Amino acid sequence: MKPIGELVKEELAAQERTITWFARKLCIDRSNVYRLFQKNSIDTDLLMRISLVLKKDFFTILARSLEEKRNSQQQ
């Protein structure tokens, strides 16, 4: 699975939203958005806010990845 920050960045691009729009919706500075895109992990509260803003359940994506890893370890 790609890093969560990269998944957020891709979703933002897919929705054709700007960094400024995203930063304003999250009430964070634009520079923090760029840092967020580079992260491998994101605080759950922030990830919940991101999921609500982008209307995409990133927790489900992470849960699927966890299940895939669990299944591959059992084989």
mmCIF file of all heavy atoms in Angstrom, residues 23-53:
data_model
loop_
_atom_site.group_PDB
_atom_site.id
_atom_site.type_symbol
_atom_site.label_atom_id
_atom_site.label_comp_id
_atom_site.label_asym_id
_atom_site.label_seq_id
_atom_site.Cartn_x
_atom_site.Cartn_y
_atom_site.Cartn_z
ATOM 1 N N ALA A 23 -6.218 23.193 2.761
ATOM 2 C CA ALA A 23 -5.656 23.777 3.983
ATOM 3 C C ALA A 23 -6.711 24.579 4.738
ATOM 4 O O ALA A 23 -6.821 24.490 5.967
ATOM 5 C CB ALA A 23 -4.459 24.659 3.645
ATOM 6 N N ARG A 24 -7.492 25.349 4.001
ATOM 7 C CA ARG A 24 -8.544 26.159 4.630
ATOM 8 C C ARG A 24 -9.592 25.268 5.296
ATOM 9 O O ARG A 24 -10.008 25.513 6.421
ATOM 10 C CB ARG A 24 -9.188 27.068 3.582
ATOM 11 C CG ARG A 24 -10.134 28.092 4.164
ATOM 12 C CD ARG A 24 -10.656 29.085 3.131
ATOM 13 N NE ARG A 24 -11.419 28.406 2.087
ATOM 14 C CZ ARG A 24 -11.085 28.338 0.806
ATOM 15 N NH1 ARG A 24 -9.991 28.926 0.367
ATOM 16 N NH2 ARG A 24 -11.839 27.713 -0.075
ATOM 17 N N LYS A 25 -10.001 24.199 4.618
ATOM 18 C CA LYS A 25 -11.002 23.279 5.168
ATOM 19 C C LYS A 25 -10.493 22.575 6.427
ATOM 20 O O LYS A 25 -11.266 22.292 7.346
ATOM 21 C CB LYS A 25 -11.409 22.233 4.128
ATOM 22 C CG LYS A 25 -12.228 22.778 3.004
ATOM 23 C CD LYS A 25 -13.598 23.174 3.493
ATOM 24 C CE LYS A 25 -14.505 23.550 2.358
ATOM 25 N NZ LYS A 25 -15.845 23.906 2.807
ATOM 26 N N LEU A 26 -9.191 22.289 6.462
ATOM 27 C CA LEU A 26 -8.604 21.603 7.622
ATOM 28 C C LEU A 26 -8.141 22.577 8.712
ATOM 29 O O LEU A 26 -7.724 22.148 9.781
ATOM 30 C CB LEU A 26 -7.414 20.742 7.186
ATOM 31 C CG LEU A 26 -7.735 19.511 6.357
ATOM 32 C CD1 LEU A 26 -6.447 18.830 5.923
ATOM 33 C CD2 LEU A 26 -8.619 18.543 7.127
ATOM 34 N N CYS A 27 -8.199 23.863 8.384
ATOM 35 C CA CYS A 27 -7.724 24.909 9.312
ATOM 36 C C CYS A 27 -6.244 24.715 9.650
ATOM 37 O O CYS A 27 -5.840 24.775 10.818
ATOM 38 C CB CYS A 27 -8.568 24.949 10.584
ATOM 39 S SG CYS A 27 -10.294 25.309 10.284
ATOM 40 N N ILE A 28 -5.458 24.446 8.619
ATOM 41 C CA ILE A 28 -4.010 24.321 8.791
ATOM 42 C C ILE A 28 -3.322 25.159 7.723
ATOM 43 O O ILE A 28 -3.930 25.556 6.735
ATOM 44 C CB ILE A 28 -3.524 22.850 8.731
ATOM 45 C CG1 ILE A 28 -3.797 22.219 7.355
ATOM 46 C CG2 ILE A 28 -4.149 22.023 9.838
ATOM 47 C CD1 ILE A 28 -3.223 20.828 7.185
ATOM 48 N N ASP A 29 -2.054 25.404 7.924
ATOM 49 C CA ASP A 29 -1.251 26.166 6.972
ATOM 50 C C ASP A 29 -0.954 25.312 5.734
ATOM 51 O O ASP A 29 -0.819 24.091 5.836
ATOM 52 C CB ASP A 29 0.061 26.578 7.659
ATOM 53 C CG ASP A 29 0.833 27.566 6.846
ATOM 54 O OD1 ASP A 29 0.444 28.751 6.832
ATOM 55 O OD2 ASP A 29 1.823 27.156 6.218
ATOM 56 N N ARG A 30 -0.837 25.972 4.585
ATOM 57 C CA ARG A 30 -0.528 25.252 3.345
ATOM 58 C C ARG A 30 0.748 24.438 3.449
ATOM 59 O O ARG A 30 0.836 23.327 2.918
ATOM 60 C CB ARG A 30 -0.386 26.233 2.184
ATOM 61 C CG ARG A 30 -1.668 26.685 1.589
ATOM 62 C CD ARG A 30 -1.437 27.586 0.415
ATOM 63 N NE ARG A 30 -0.110 27.346 -0.172
ATOM 64 C CZ ARG A 30 0.317 27.877 -1.287
ATOM 65 N NH1 ARG A 30 -0.449 28.676 -1.951
ATOM 66 N NH2 ARG A 30 1.517 27.620 -1.743
ATOM 67 N N SER A 31 1.746 24.963 4.123
ATOM 68 C CA SER A 31 3.013 24.229 4.247
ATOM 69 C C SER A 31 2.808 22.910 4.995
ATOM 70 O O SER A 31 3.487 21.921 4.713
ATOM 71 C CB SER A 31 4.071 25.082 4.942
ATOM 72 O OG SER A 31 3.667 25.420 6.252
ATOM 73 N N ASN A 32 1.867 22.899 5.923
ATOM 74 C CA ASN A 32 1.575 21.654 6.647
ATOM 75 C C ASN A 32 0.893 20.624 5.747
ATOM 76 O O ASN A 32 1.050 19.419 5.942
ATOM 77 C CB ASN A 32 0.715 21.927 7.877
ATOM 78 C CG ASN A 32 1.495 22.626 8.964
ATOM 79 O OD1 ASN A 32 2.720 22.516 9.027
ATOM 80 N ND2 ASN A 32 0.804 23.364 9.807
ATOM 81 N N VAL A 33 0.149 21.096 4.765
ATOM 82 C CA VAL A 33 -0.470 20.173 3.808
ATOM 83 C C VAL A 33 0.624 19.466 3.013
ATOM 84 O O VAL A 33 0.584 18.248 2.834
ATOM 85 C CB VAL A 33 -1.448 20.909 2.860
ATOM 86 C CG1 VAL A 33 -1.928 19.976 1.750
ATOM 87 C CG2 VAL A 33 -2.631 21.465 3.635
ATOM 88 N N TYR A 34 1.615 20.206 2.574
ATOM 89 C CA TYR A 34 2.722 19.585 1.825
ATOM 90 C C TYR A 34 3.465 18.568 2.697
ATOM 91 O O TYR A 34 3.853 17.501 2.210
ATOM 92 C CB TYR A 34 3.687 20.644 1.293
ATOM 93 C CG TYR A 34 3.089 21.477 0.188
ATOM 94 C CD1 TYR A 34 2.695 22.793 0.401
ATOM 95 C CD2 TYR A 34 2.899 20.934 -1.084
ATOM 96 C CE1 TYR A 34 2.140 23.559 -0.617
ATOM 97 C CE2 TYR A 34 2.338 21.688 -2.110
ATOM 98 C CZ TYR A 34 1.964 22.999 -1.866
ATOM 99 O OH TYR A 34 1.403 23.737 -2.872
ATOM 100 N N ARG A 35 3.636 18.878 3.967
ATOM 101 C CA ARG A 35 4.277 17.928 4.896
ATOM 102 C C ARG A 35 3.414 16.686 5.080
ATOM 103 O O ARG A 35 3.927 15.564 5.150
ATOM 104 C CB ARG A 35 4.535 18.585 6.244
ATOM 105 C CG ARG A 35 5.730 19.480 6.243
ATOM 106 C CD ARG A 35 6.109 19.910 7.663
ATOM 107 N NE ARG A 35 6.763 21.194 7.568
ATOM 108 C CZ ARG A 35 6.194 22.367 7.842
ATOM 109 N NH1 ARG A 35 4.969 22.427 8.277
ATOM 110 N NH2 ARG A 35 6.860 23.478 7.701
ATOM 111 N N LEU A 36 2.110 16.892 5.149
ATOM 112 C CA LEU A 36 1.172 15.791 5.319
ATOM 113 C C LEU A 36 1.295 14.789 4.174
ATOM 114 O O LEU A 36 1.245 13.576 4.387
ATOM 115 C CB LEU A 36 -0.253 16.370 5.372
ATOM 116 C CG LEU A 36 -1.401 15.430 5.616
ATOM 117 C CD1 LEU A 36 -2.425 16.116 6.500
ATOM 118 C CD2 LEU A 36 -2.033 14.992 4.330
ATOM 119 N N PHE A 37 1.475 15.300 2.953
ATOM 120 C CA PHE A 37 1.607 14.429 1.785
ATOM 121 C C PHE A 37 2.820 13.508 1.872
ATOM 122 O O PHE A 37 2.854 12.466 1.230
ATOM 123 C CB PHE A 37 1.713 15.261 0.501
ATOM 124 C CG PHE A 37 0.466 16.025 0.143
ATOM 125 C CD1 PHE A 37 0.558 17.143 -0.665
ATOM 126 C CD2 PHE A 37 -0.781 15.633 0.591
ATOM 127 C CE1 PHE A 37 -0.580 17.852 -1.030
ATOM 128 C CE2 PHE A 37 -1.930 16.339 0.246
ATOM 129 C CZ PHE A 37 -1.824 17.450 -0.569
ATOM 130 N N GLN A 38 3.810 13.867 2.665
ATOM 131 C CA GLN A 38 5.039 13.078 2.771
ATOM 132 C C GLN A 38 4.996 12.064 3.913
ATOM 133 O O GLN A 38 5.912 11.268 4.063
ATOM 134 C CB GLN A 38 6.232 14.009 2.963
ATOM 135 C CG GLN A 38 6.442 14.933 1.781
ATOM 136 C CD GLN A 38 7.518 15.965 2.029
ATOM 137 O OE1 GLN A 38 8.032 16.093 3.130
ATOM 138 N NE2 GLN A 38 7.863 16.712 0.992
ATOM 139 N N LYS A 39 3.919 12.069 4.684
ATOM 140 C CA LYS A 39 3.852 11.216 5.869
ATOM 141 C C LYS A 39 3.442 9.787 5.536
ATOM 142 O O LYS A 39 2.630 9.549 4.656
ATOM 143 C CB LYS A 39 2.876 11.798 6.885
ATOM 144 C CG LYS A 39 3.363 13.078 7.500
ATOM 145 C CD LYS A 39 2.444 13.508 8.614
ATOM 146 C CE LYS A 39 3.037 14.716 9.292
ATOM 147 N NZ LYS A 39 3.006 14.597 10.710
ATOM 148 N N ASN A 40 4.023 8.866 6.297
ATOM 149 C CA ASN A 40 3.642 7.458 6.217
ATOM 150 C C ASN A 40 2.500 7.142 7.171
ATOM 151 O O ASN A 40 1.819 6.138 7.015
ATOM 152 C CB ASN A 40 4.835 6.551 6.546
ATOM 153 C CG ASN A 40 5.884 6.622 5.471
ATOM 154 O OD1 ASN A 40 5.568 6.669 4.287
ATOM 155 N ND2 ASN A 40 7.143 6.640 5.870
ATOM 156 N N SER A 41 2.328 8.002 8.168
ATOM 157 C CA SER A 41 1.233 7.819 9.125
ATOM 158 C C SER A 41 0.677 9.188 9.495
ATOM 159 O O SER A 41 1.381 10.198 9.432
ATOM 160 C CB SER A 41 1.721 7.088 10.382
ATOM 161 O OG SER A 41 2.689 7.863 11.053
ATOM 162 N N ILE A 42 -0.606 9.192 9.849
ATOM 163 C CA ILE A 42 -1.299 10.428 10.193
ATOM 164 C C ILE A 42 -2.108 10.177 11.455
ATOM 165 O O ILE A 42 -2.736 9.119 11.599
ATOM 166 C CB ILE A 42 -2.229 10.883 9.040
ATOM 167 C CG1 ILE A 42 -1.420 11.205 7.781
ATOM 168 C CG2 ILE A 42 -3.066 12.086 9.446
ATOM 169 C CD1 ILE A 42 -2.259 11.550 6.563
ATOM 170 N N ASP A 43 -2.102 11.137 12.357
ATOM 171 C CA ASP A 43 -2.900 11.078 13.567
ATOM 172 C C ASP A 43 -4.351 10.754 13.209
ATOM 173 O O ASP A 43 -4.881 11.279 12.225
ATOM 174 C CB ASP A 43 -2.799 12.441 14.268
ATOM 175 C CG ASP A 43 -3.682 12.541 15.483
ATOM 176 O OD1 ASP A 43 -3.311 11.988 16.529
ATOM 177 O OD2 ASP A 43 -4.757 13.164 15.362
ATOM 178 N N THR A 44 -4.998 9.901 14.002
ATOM 179 C CA THR A 44 -6.358 9.471 13.665
ATOM 180 C C THR A 44 -7.363 10.623 13.644
ATOM 181 O O THR A 44 -8.272 10.640 12.812
ATOM 182 C CB THR A 44 -6.861 8.375 14.613
ATOM 183 O OG1 THR A 44 -6.737 8.810 15.960
ATOM 184 C CG2 THR A 44 -6.103 7.077 14.402
ATOM 185 N N ASP A 45 -7.202 11.598 14.518
ATOM 186 C CA ASP A 45 -8.111 12.746 14.512
ATOM 187 C C ASP A 45 -7.972 13.535 13.210
ATOM 188 O O ASP A 45 -8.976 13.897 12.584
ATOM 189 C CB ASP A 45 -7.849 13.658 15.715
ATOM 190 C CG ASP A 45 -8.814 14.823 15.751
ATOM 191 O OD1 ASP A 45 -10.036 14.576 15.849
ATOM 192 O OD2 ASP A 45 -8.354 15.983 15.659
ATOM 193 N N LEU A 46 -6.745 13.761 12.793
ATOM 194 C CA LEU A 46 -6.510 14.468 11.536
ATOM 195 C C LEU A 46 -7.021 13.645 10.363
ATOM 196 O O LEU A 46 -7.645 14.169 9.446
ATOM 197 C CB LEU A 46 -5.025 14.793 11.358
ATOM 198 C CG LEU A 46 -4.627 15.480 10.058
ATOM 199 C CD1 LEU A 46 -5.406 16.778 9.850
ATOM 200 C CD2 LEU A 46 -3.126 15.735 10.042
ATOM 201 N N LEU A 47 -6.794 12.340 10.396
ATOM 202 C CA LEU A 47 -7.268 11.484 9.310
ATOM 203 C C LEU A 47 -8.794 11.493 9.239
ATOM 204 O O LEU A 47 -9.371 11.466 8.153
ATOM 205 C CB LEU A 47 -6.739 10.063 9.473
ATOM 206 C CG LEU A 47 -6.999 9.130 8.302
ATOM 207 C CD1 LEU A 47 -6.412 9.673 7.006
ATOM 208 C CD2 LEU A 47 -6.467 7.741 8.600
ATOM 209 N N MET A 48 -9.458 11.569 10.373
ATOM 210 C CA MET A 48 -10.913 11.660 10.382
ATOM 211 C C MET A 48 -11.361 12.973 9.739
ATOM 212 O O MET A 48 -12.281 12.986 8.912
ATOM 213 C CB MET A 48 -11.476 11.556 11.801
ATOM 214 C CG MET A 48 -13.003 11.591 11.820
ATOM 215 S SD MET A 48 -13.743 11.225 13.409
ATOM 216 C CE MET A 48 -12.993 12.445 14.450
ATOM 217 N N ARG A 49 -10.697 14.069 10.078
ATOM 218 C CA ARG A 49 -11.032 15.358 9.483
ATOM 219 C C ARG A 49 -10.803 15.335 7.978
ATOM 220 O O ARG A 49 -11.628 15.838 7.204
ATOM 221 C CB ARG A 49 -10.221 16.473 10.141
ATOM 222 C CG ARG A 49 -10.653 16.743 11.572
ATOM 223 C CD ARG A 49 -9.749 17.667 12.353
ATOM 224 N NE ARG A 49 -9.240 18.797 11.616
ATOM 225 C CZ ARG A 49 -8.031 19.323 11.799
ATOM 226 N NH1 ARG A 49 -7.214 18.816 12.702
ATOM 227 N NH2 ARG A 49 -7.632 20.360 11.101
ATOM 228 N N ILE A 50 -9.699 14.740 7.551
ATOM 229 C CA ILE A 50 -9.392 14.624 6.124
ATOM 230 C C ILE A 50 -10.474 13.804 5.423
ATOM 231 O O ILE A 50 -10.958 14.183 4.352
ATOM 232 C CB ILE A 50 -8.001 13.991 5.916
ATOM 233 C CG1 ILE A 50 -6.909 14.960 6.370
ATOM 234 C CG2 ILE A 50 -7.798 13.566 4.461
ATOM 235 C CD1 ILE A 50 -5.537 14.334 6.482
ATOM 236 N N SER A 51 -10.855 12.698 6.031
ATOM 237 C CA SER A 51 -11.895 11.838 5.455
ATOM 238 C C SER A 51 -13.204 12.595 5.287
ATOM 239 O O SER A 51 -13.892 12.451 4.270
ATOM 240 C CB SER A 51 -12.121 10.607 6.345
ATOM 241 O OG SER A 51 -10.991 9.770 6.344
ATOM 242 N N LEU A 52 -13.552 13.405 6.272
ATOM 243 C CA LEU A 52 -14.791 14.183 6.193
ATOM 244 C C LEU A 52 -14.703 15.259 5.121
ATOM 245 O O LEU A 52 -15.643 15.447 4.342
ATOM 246 C CB LEU A 52 -15.112 14.806 7.552
ATOM 247 C CG LEU A 52 -15.520 13.827 8.652
ATOM 248 C CD1 LEU A 52 -15.570 14.530 10.001
ATOM 249 C CD2 LEU A 52 -16.847 13.179 8.323
ATOM 250 N N VAL A 53 -13.578 15.955 5.058
ATOM 251 C CA VAL A 53 -13.406 17.030 4.074
ATOM 252 C C VAL A 53 -13.440 16.477 2.649
ATOM 253 O O VAL A 53 -14.098 17.036 1.775
ATOM 254 C CB VAL A 53 -12.094 17.815 4.330
ATOM 255 C CG1 VAL A 53 -11.719 18.685 3.152
ATOM 256 C CG2 VAL A 53 -12.214 18.650 5.595
#
